[in-house]
């Protein structure tokens, strides 16, 4: 079939298998030329199909020949209806990994559930024995608690006061003011239940009790801080409370792994266009200005460059360069004083008229469509493609 992008608000309903494949192959090439010395060998990636999780899987597999198991929640294709992009990404990754003689298997289902955890554990026991790294990279709006069956929904809201600031609709380029009402009721607790650290801890507890974590095991989850501009809706909002909880969980995990010298870390990453971040108000305007400034300075990175730097210059380097709160920082370039000062200046001038000049709206759009395999260089979108692509290592 011929597949074209069909967008509705901040999501794209279609995705292109060849474009997704091309994105994965480019990331593989990047890591092949930037391998990791003494990198991980047997890795579980939870949230492995898109964004930072996919980049972590590729960096493990192609940076240090790691065997990888990927867990994700993606929609398979049906006749005439493309799969979600993470499906095609995983198909492309596992096809290439198998060609290159790398172990790569995956499980598609709800990582928050006891069933998927048990299935993953069994696969590790059957195929890998012990693993030396778990990457935790889930981004989800909902979580059903595995023990109580209660369904929690996360919200992206400020706490205490209404937040008013500018945002951009990146499809139309219209910059306008929006107001977000403060959270209410159980919003904070619910957001912590979805995006906090409880599920990460559950995974590690299970794997530890089954004795499948090797000596010097590491686990890493991803967090975000960002500038004062977005603070009220992000880091000091409901999602920020969940990130506080996730960050605190890293220390609890380290405590629980003392006997194997295991470590839990949080890495604070850069703001990037992903399916998760496009849905957060104000962030798209910030990102389009940030991209402009970082590209001008020659320090722009995508997911793969971020994770390559995380592995090669932090996790598997001499010095983790932890901050005062014990976190790994690969948002260091985003947060540089000179970069933030420039973004803040531009923010004051950003209007519908000025943004195409002063911001990188085009870069934002390109990245957004790239997430779904569209607007990818070298792909012929007029050519018929088979939507019924299989993931070769899918269990
Ligand atoms: P993403 O949306 O690209 O990836 C989410 C992954 O989670 C996908 O593999 C998806 O299949 C999987 N997933 C979602 N729900 C699932 C479920 N119930 N069961 C199994 N798998 C499920 O998101 P992104 O942006 O890569 O985010 C990953 C982490 O990085 C999040 O914790 C996010 O807060 C953090 N982060 C994101 C930043 C950004 O700007 N995008 C910046 C810094 C941190
Ligand atoms: Na991810």
């Amino acid at each position: 079939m011929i597949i074209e992008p069909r967008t509705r608000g901040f999501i794209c309903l279609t995705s292109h298998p060849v474009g997704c494949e091309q994105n994965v192959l480019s990331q593989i090439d990047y890591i092949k030329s930037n391998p990791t010395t003494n990198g991980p060998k047997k890795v579980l990636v939870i949230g492995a199909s898109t964004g930072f999780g996919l980049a972590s899987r590729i960096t493990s597999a192609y940076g240090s020949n790691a065997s990888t198991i990927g867990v994700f929640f993606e929609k398979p294709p049906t006749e005439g209806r493309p799969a979600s992009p993470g499906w095609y990404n995983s198909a492309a990754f596992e096809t290439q990994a198998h060609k290159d003689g790398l172990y790569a298997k995956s499980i598609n289902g709800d990582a928050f559930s006891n069933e998927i955890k048990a299935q993953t554990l069994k696969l590790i026991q059957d195929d890998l024995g012990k693993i030396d790294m778990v990457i935790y990279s889930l981004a989800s709006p909902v979580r059903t608690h595995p023990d109580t069956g209660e369904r929690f929904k996360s919200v992206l809201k400020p706490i205490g006061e209404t937040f008013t600031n500018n945002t951009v609709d990146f499809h139309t380029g219209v910059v306008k003011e929006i107001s977000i009402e403060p959270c209410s009721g159980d919003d904070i607790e619910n957001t912590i239940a979805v995006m906090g650290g409880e599920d990460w801890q559950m995974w590690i507890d299970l794997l530890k009790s089954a004795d499948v974590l090797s000596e010097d095991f590491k686990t890493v989850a991803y967090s975000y801080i960002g500038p004062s501009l977005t603070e009220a809706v992000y880091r000091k909002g409901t999602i920020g409370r969940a990130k506080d909880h996730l960050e605190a969980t890293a220390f609890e995990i380290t405590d629980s792994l003392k006997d194997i010298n295991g470590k839990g870390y949080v890495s604070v990453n850069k703001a990037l266009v992903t399916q998760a971040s496009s849905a957060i108000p104000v962030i798209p305007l910030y990102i389009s200005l940030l991209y402009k400034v970082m590209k001008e300075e020659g320090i722009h990175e995508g997911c793969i460059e971020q994770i390559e730097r995380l592995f090669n210059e932090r996790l598997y380097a001499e010095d983790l360069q932890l901050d005062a709160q014990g976190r790994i920082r690969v948002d260091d370039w985003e947060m540089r004083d000179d970069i933030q000062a420039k973004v803040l200046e531009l923010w004051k001038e950003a209007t519908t008229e000025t943004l195409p000049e002063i911001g990188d709206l085009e870069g934002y759009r390109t990245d957004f469509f790239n997430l779904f395999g569209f607007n990818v260089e070298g792909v012929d979108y007029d050519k018929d493609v088979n939507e019924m692509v299989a993931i070769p290592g899918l269990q």
Side-chain angles (χ1 to χ4, degrees):
M1 67 186 288
I2 305 283
I3 309 175
E4 287 176 343
R6 271 208 296 134
T7 56
R8 196 175 59 199
F10 305 116
I11 54 166
C12 182
L13 302 167
T14 51
S15 70
H16 200 280
V18 180
C20 289
E21 177 185 41
Q22 188 52 55
N23 287 338
V24 167
L25 296 177
S26 305
Q27 293 192 39
I28 289 175
D29 279 345
Y30 182 78
I31 295 303
K32 277 181 167 171
S33 44
N34 296 281
T36 312
T37 307
N38 299 322
K41 287 293 176 199
K42 295 179 183 180
V43 179
L44 168 65
V45 182
I46 303 162
S49 53
T50 57
F52 286 113
L54 173 65
S56 306
R57 190 176 194 194
I58 292 172
T59 304
S60 304
Y62 283 91
S64 55
N65 295 315
S67 299
T68 58
I69 293 176
V71 177
F72 44 77
F73 208 5
E74 300 294 340
K75 189 165 62 71
T78 54
E79 295 288 341
R81 249 187 157 202
S84 54
W87 179 277
Y88 291 135
N89 291 339
S90 301
F93 170 77
E94 292 187 10
T95 301
Q96 190 59 42
H98 293 180
K99 273 190 203 156
D100 294 328
L102 292 166
Y103 173 100
K105 290 189 183 176
S106 50
I107 291 174
N108 188 31
D110 182 5
F112 297 130
S113 70
N114 289 331
E115 293 72 20
I116 291 295
K117 287 187 177 71
Q119 201 188 328
T120 307
L121 172 60
K122 173 131 199 326
L123 186 60
I124 293 169
Q125 287 169 325
D126 288 350
D127 290 4
L128 300 181
K130 290 194 180 193
I131 55 177
D132 49 63
M133 161 119 100
V134 171
I135 298 287
Y136 189 82
S137 187
L138 292 183
S140 173
V142 291
R143 171 175 173 230
T144 300
H145 197 281
D147 301 331
T148 64
E150 196 178 342
R151 191 174 156 87
F152 299 104
K153 284 179 84 168
S154 70
V155 300
L156 292 159
K157 288 187 180 167
I159 297 170
E161 284 171 54
T162 302
F163 172 68
T164 303
N165 212 325
N166 282 344
T167 192
V168 63
D169 177 330
F170 59 89
H171 292 301
T172 62
V174 172
V175 176
K176 63 166 199 263
E177 200 175 82
I178 51 148
S179 286
I180 312 165
E181 294 291 308
C183 66
S184 59
D186 298 331
D187 283 347
I188 296 175
E189 292 80 353
N190 291 348
T191 305
I192 293 172
V194 180
M195 288 297 286
E198 187 188 23
D199 181 65
W200 182 26
Q201 177 115 47
M202 284 179 163
W203 271 99
I204 302 303
D205 286 350
L206 174 74
L207 299 173
K208 173 71 166 61
S209 67
D211 197 24
V212 297
L213 304 181
S214 66
E215 195 73 21
D216 302 327
F217 165 84
K218 294 188 211 311
T219 183
V220 185
Y222 298 137
S223 189
Y224 183 65
I225 298 175
S228 51
L229 276 171
T230 61
E231 208 166 53
V233 70
Y234 196 94
R235 193 63 208 212
K236 290 192 175 157
T238 49
I239 183 71
R241 292 295 177 87
K243 291 302 189 190
D244 291 344
H245 187 269
L246 184 79
E247 291 173 11
T249 302
F251 296 105
E252 306 215 345
I253 288 177
T254 297
D255 280 344
S256 73
L257 299 177
K258 280 219 163 74
D259 60 322
I260 56 167
N261 192 36
K263 297 279 192 301
Y265 296 113
V266 156
S267 171
V268 182
N269 298 350
K270 174 196 187 208
L272 280 171
V273 181
T274 64
Q275 292 183 71
S277 68
S278 305
I280 309 177
V282 188
I283 300 269
L285 180 57
Y286 170 69
I287 289 184
S288 60
L289 298 173
L290 179 73
Y291 273 28
K292 181 80 167 190
V293 173
M294 292 187 83
K295 284 178 184 176
E296 272 172 8
E297 294 292 320
I299 54 170
H300 176 71
E301 297 172 295
C303 287
I304 197 70
E305 290 85 1
Q306 277 269 289
I307 301 301
E308 183 271 328
R309 203 154 62 87
L310 169 64
F311 277 46
N312 289 345
E313 296 182 22
R314 301 289 192 278
L315 279 176
Y316 295 95
E318 283 300 304
D319 185 3
L320 289 158
Q321 303 177 39
L322 300 179
D323 69 9
Q325 284 77 41
R327 303 171 294 204
I328 298 172
R329 304 294 296 266
V330 287
D331 66 338
D332 48 346
W333 297 348
E334 169 182 355
M335 299 309 285
R336 254 169 47 181
D337 289 345
D338 59 325
I339 300 294
Q340 286 300 322
K342 283 184 183 156
V343 172
L344 197 59
E345 272 315 300
L346 294 175
W347 187 273
K348 293 177 194 152
E349 299 164 20
T351 61
T352 307
E353 289 69 40
T354 61
L355 190 60
E357 251 328 286
I358 69 168
D360 186 25
L361 204 51
E362 227 16 74
Y364 194 105
R365 284 195 193 113
T366 301
D367 278 12
F368 178 79
F369 284 106
N370 282 352
L371 296 175
F372 303 90
F374 296 111
N375 296 14
V376 178
E377 258 181 57
V379 176
D380 180 0
Y381 291 99
D382 297 328
K383 216 168 134 187
D384 239 327
V385 291
N386 175 19
E387 72 280 18
M388 298 303 289
V389 178
I391 302 177
L394 188 67
Q395 299 304 288

